[in-house]
C-alpha cells in the first residue's frame, strides 16, 4: 500500500501574537512545529503500514525550513519525503494550496490513500484535504476518528461529525482527513534520527510541476485574499439577573434579540 500524508509546518500557536497596528502575525522568534492534526494522520499511516505493509510518503508545501517537519516524519517512520517550495507558491489560499499539493502528489508513484489532518492551527479552514481530493477527482471522507482496517479495495473508517457518528467504506484511491481519535502519535525515535540523517528530501519548484498549471499557483491562483487578521475582542463585562425561571428565560430571549443573535422568537405564554 502506498500511503501519502500531507504535513504542514505551522507556528507554535501558544506563542503567536498579532501586531495590533498591521494585523500581521508576529513570527519572529516563534518556533515552528508539525501541525498537530498531521501528527495523527502520520500515526494512522504508520499503523496501516505496520498492519498491511507498504510505503509512507510525506509531502509538504512551504518554505525550505519546512524540511524540518519532513525530517521529523522520517524520525517517526516515514519512508520518503517531498517538499514543494518556490516563491511562486507564496500567498496561496486554500484553493491554490490544494491545487499545488495535488500537482505534487500526481508526480509520486501511484498511491492508494492520501491522509491529511482535519485542519491546521494557523489557517484552520479544514478545506485543503477535500480540495486536494476534488482536484484529483477521488472520493474523500472528512472527520475520520478511526481507521478500522483496509481491504484490497479500500478502507473502512469511522467518521465523527459531532452530532452523528457513522462507519463507511471508501474505495482506493481515496483521501481521508483525520481527527485526534486515531491514536496517540508516537515519539520521535533517536535511532531513526541517526539512521535517516542522510536521507534525501525531494524538493520540487513550480518549474518541476505541470507547465499548464503555473497560473494556478500562489497569489495569482488565489481568488481569496485575507484583508485583515485580528484577535477577537475579549470583554470581561457581565450582568447578573435575578427572577423566576420564566422571567429569566424571557430576559434571555430579549437580550439575544437586542444583540440581533435571534429573530422572530414569540413570547411564551404564562
Ligand atoms: C499570515 C497568513 C496569511 C494568509 N493569507 C491568506 C490569504 O490572503 N488568502 C487566503 O485565502 N488564505 C490566506 N491564508 C491561509 C492560507 O491560505 C492557508 O494557511 C493555506 O491555504 C492552508 O489552509 P489551512 O491552513 O486552512 O489548511 P487546512 O485546510 O485547515 O488543512 C487541512 C490539512 O491539509 C494539509 N495541508 C494544508 N496545508 C498544507 C501544506 N502547505 N502542505 C502540506 N499539507 C497541507 C494538512 O494535512 C492539514 O492538516 C493565510 C494564512 C496565514 C497564516
Amino acid at each position: 500500500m502506498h500511503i501519502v500524508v500531507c504535513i504542514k509546518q505551522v507556528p507554535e500557536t501558544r506563542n503567536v501574537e498579532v501586531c495590533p497596528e498591521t494585523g500581521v502575525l508576529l513570527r519572529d522568534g516563534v518556533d515552528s512545529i508539525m501541525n498537530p492534526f498531521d501528527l495523527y494522520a502520520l500515526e494512522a499511516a504508520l499503523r496501516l503500514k505496520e498492519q498491511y505493509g507498504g510505503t509512507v510518503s510525506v509531502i509538504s508545501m512551504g518554505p525550505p525550513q519546512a524540511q524540518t517537519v519532513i525530517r521529523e516524519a522520517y524520525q517517526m517512520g516515514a519512508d520518503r519525503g517531498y517538499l514543494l517550495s518556490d516563491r511562486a507558491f507564496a500567498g496561496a489560499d486554500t484553493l491554490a494550496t490544494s491545487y499545488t499539493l495535488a500537482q505534487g502528489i500526481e508526480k509520486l508513484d501511484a498511491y492508494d490513500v492520501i491522509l491529511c489532518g482535519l485542519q491546521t492551527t494557523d489557517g484552520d479552514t479544514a478545506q485543503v484535504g477535500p480540495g486536494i481530493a476534488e482536484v484529483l477527482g477521488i472520493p474523500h471522507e472528512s472527520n475520520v476518528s478511526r481507521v478500522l482496517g483496509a481491504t484490497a479495495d479500500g478502507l473502512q473508517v469511522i467518521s465523527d461529525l459531532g452530532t452523528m457518528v457513522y462507519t463507511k467504506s471508501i474505495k482506493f484511491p481515496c483521501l481521508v482527513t483525520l481527527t485526534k481519535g486515531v491514536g496517540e502519535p508516537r515519539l520521535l525515535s533517536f535511532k531513526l534520527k541517526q539512521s535517516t540523517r542522510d536521507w534525501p528530501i525531494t524538493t520540487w519548484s513550480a518549474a518541476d510541476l505541470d507547465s499548464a498549471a503555473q497560473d494556478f499557483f500562489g497569489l495569482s491562483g488565489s481568488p481569496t485574499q485575507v484583508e485583515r487578521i485580528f484577535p477577537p475582542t475579549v470583554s470581561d463585562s457581565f450582568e447578573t439577573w435575578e427572577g423566576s425561571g420564566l422571567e429569566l428565560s424571557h430576559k434571555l430571549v430579549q437580550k439575544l434579540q437586542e444583540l440581533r443573535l435571534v429573530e422572530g422568537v414569540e413570547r411564551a405564554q404564562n
Side-chain angles (χ1 to χ4, degrees), residues 241-252 267 270:
W241 301 334
E242 287 179 5
S244 69
L246 190 62
E247 284 162 351
L248 288 174
S249 58
H250 287 157
K251 176 82 181 153
L252 179 61
R267 193 181 162 87
N270 282 331

Side-chain angles (χ1 to χ4, degrees), residues 188-210:
L188 305 187
S189 146
F190 182 70
K191 203 169 150 200
L192 283 174
K193 183 176 183 178
Q194 302 291 93
S195 61
T196 64
R197 191 188 295 272
D198 299 326
W199 282 16
I201 294 173
T202 306
T203 303
W204 287 320
S205 67
D208 296 311
L209 303 182
D210 184 355

Side-chain angles (χ1 to χ4, degrees), residues 2 5 19 164 208:
H2 183 198
V5 188
C19 172
M164 203 173 21
D208 296 311

Side-chain angles (χ1 to χ4, degrees), residues 5-11 23-25 27 35-39 41 59-63 66 83-84 91-98 101 115-132 176-178 219 222-227 229:
V5 188
C6 296
I7 58 175
K8 184 182 180 189
Q9 190 178 44
V10 295
V24 169
L25 292 179
R27 288 170 182 259
N35 177 47
F37 276 110
D38 301 352
L39 286 169
I59 186 163
S60 188
M61 183 189 94
L83 177 64
L84 303 173
D93 66 2
T94 55
L95 187 69
T97 303
S98 307
L101 284 166
L115 302 184
C116 290
L118 173 67
Q119 64 203 80
T120 61
T121 50
D122 60 349
D124 202 16
T125 64
Q127 292 174 4
V128 169
I132 296 170
V176 300
T177 75
L178 295 138
L219 203 55
S222 297
T224 323
Q225 301 287 308
V226 172
E227 286 186 14
I229 301 177

Side-chain angles (χ1 to χ4, degrees), residues 6-7 9 15 21 45 95 97 103-104 112 150 162 165 172 230 244 249 252 254-255 269:
C6 296
I7 58 175
Q9 190 178 44
N15 302 327
E21 280 89 44
L95 187 69
T97 303
Q103 295 298 313
D112 298 291
V165 177
F172 293 142
F230 57 95
S244 69
S249 58
L252 179 61
Q254 194 188 354
K255 191 72 187 174
Q269 297 297 312

Side-chain angles (χ1 to χ4, degrees), residues 235-243 248 250-256 258-259:
S235 163
D236 58 2
S237 69
F238 63 93
E239 294 174 30
T240 307
W241 301 334
E242 287 179 5
L248 288 174
H250 287 157
K251 176 82 181 153
L252 179 61
V253 170
Q254 194 188 354
K255 191 72 187 174
L256 292 172
E258 265 171 45
L259 295 171

